[in-house]
C-alpha cells in the first residue's frame, strides 16, 4: 500500500481515501472534482491590515522629515527630527520580515473555501471542505495520483464472468 498524503484527518492511499474517519475505497470512487467558494472578506481585511502595518512606519518617517523641513527650526532640532524619522523608518526592517511572513502564509492558505467532491456509489459526496489552499492542493493532487495509479477494473462480458480473450484473426 502506498500513502500519497497523511495528516491528522485525511489519509490518501493506493487503496482508499479516508477523511474524518470515513473511508472511501478507490474502487468505488468515480469522477473527482473540486469547487471554490466565495472569497472570505475576513482574510482580505487581514491582508489589508498587514499592508497598512508595513506602510505605517514608513509613512510616519516621511511625514517626520517633511515636518522637520516645514517647521524651519534650528539645524539641531531639524537634524533630531530627521534622525528620529529615519530611525523609525529603519525600525520597520525587522518588523517587515515578520509581516511579510504572515502575508505569505495568508496567500498560501488562500481566501476561499475549497471542496473536493467525488462520485461514490453513484452519488455525489463531499470528501473535503477546507479554507487552507496549500493543504487542499496537496490532498487534491494526492487523490489524483491515487486514482491514476489504481488498477483498472476489467469489464466482465457474458454470464460466466470470464474475461474476453484476444482473437488470433482480425
Amino acid at each position: 500500500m502506498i500513502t500519497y498524503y497523511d495528516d491528522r484527518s485525511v489519509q490518501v492511499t493506493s487503496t482508499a481515501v479516508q477523511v474524518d474517519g470515513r473511508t472511501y475505497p478507490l474502487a468505488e470512487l468515480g469522477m473527482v472534482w473540486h469547487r471554490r467558494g466565495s472569497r472570505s472578506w475576513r482574510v482580505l481585511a487581514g491582508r489589508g491590515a498587514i499592508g497598512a502595518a508595513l506602510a505605517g512606519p514608513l509613512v510616519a518617517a516621511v511625514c517626520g522629515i517633511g515636518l522637520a523641513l516645514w517647521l524651519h527650526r534650528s539645524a539641531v532640532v531639524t537634524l533630531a527630527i530627521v534622525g528620529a524619522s529615519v530611525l523609525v523608518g529603519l525600525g520597520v526592517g525587522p518588523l517587515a520580515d515578520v509581516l511579510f511572513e504572515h502575508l505569505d502564509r495568508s496567500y498560501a492558505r488562500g481566501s476561499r473555501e475549497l471542496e473536493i467532491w467525488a462520485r461514490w456509489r453513484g452519488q455525489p459526496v463531499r470528501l473535503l471542505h477546507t479554507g487552507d489552499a496549500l493543504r487542499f492542493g496537496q490532498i487534491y493532487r494526492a487523490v489524483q495520483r491515487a486514482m491514476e495509479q489504481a488498477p483498472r477494473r476489467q469489464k466482465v462480458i457474458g454470464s460466466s464472468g470470464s474475461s474476453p480473450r484476444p482473437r488470433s484473426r482480425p
Side-chain angles (χ1 to χ4, degrees):
M1 180 173 72
I2 300 170
T3 300
Y4 294 101
Y5 183 85
D6 191 10
D7 70 11
R8 66 187 183 283
S9 63
V10 177
Q11 184 180 32
V12 180
T13 65
S14 57
T15 59
V17 176
Q18 186 175 11
V19 181
D20 294 328
R22 293 205 55 176
T23 301
Y24 304 95
L26 289 181
E28 296 178 7
L29 288 180
M31 184 173 67
V32 176
W33 69 94
H34 64 88
R35 290 187 182 160
R36 294 184 337 163
S38 60
R39 289 193 185 273
S40 167
W41 290 106
R42 191 185 108 249
V43 172
L44 296 176
R47 288 179 188 164
I50 290 172
L54 280 168
L58 295 175
V59 169
V62 170
C63 289
I65 292 170
L67 178 68
L69 296 174
W70 179 73
L71 287 177
H72 297 297
R73 298 290 176 182
S74 68
V76 174
V77 172
T78 301
L79 283 175
I81 295 174
V82 168
S85 299
V86 169
L87 286 175
V88 167
L90 291 175
V92 79
L95 177 65
D97 187 43
V98 172
L99 292 175
F100 277 127
E101 180 67 27
H102 283 288
L103 190 63
D104 193 36
R105 282 190 206 142
S106 167
Y107 278 99
R109 283 188 304 267
S111 62
R112 297 177 182 267
E113 290 295 319
L114 302 163
E115 299 176 338
I116 297 176
W117 288 78
R119 188 159 302 279
W120 179 59
R121 297 179 179 170
Q123 298 294 321
V125 63
R126 185 175 73 182
L127 299 177
L128 178 74
H129 173 80
T130 183
D132 189 340
L134 180 62
R135 180 173 177 252
F136 169 84
Q138 291 170 342
I139 294 169
Y140 190 72
R141 182 64 187 130
V143 171
Q144 284 180 322
R145 284 194 317 266
M147 295 288 286
E148 289 168 359
Q149 299 302 319
R152 302 287 179 234
R153 288 179 260 166
Q154 291 185 348
K155 293 187 179 183
V156 178
I157 295 178
S159 60
S160 66
S162 61
S163 298
R165 294 193 177 116
R167 298 187 320 182
S168 59
R169 287 185 271 171

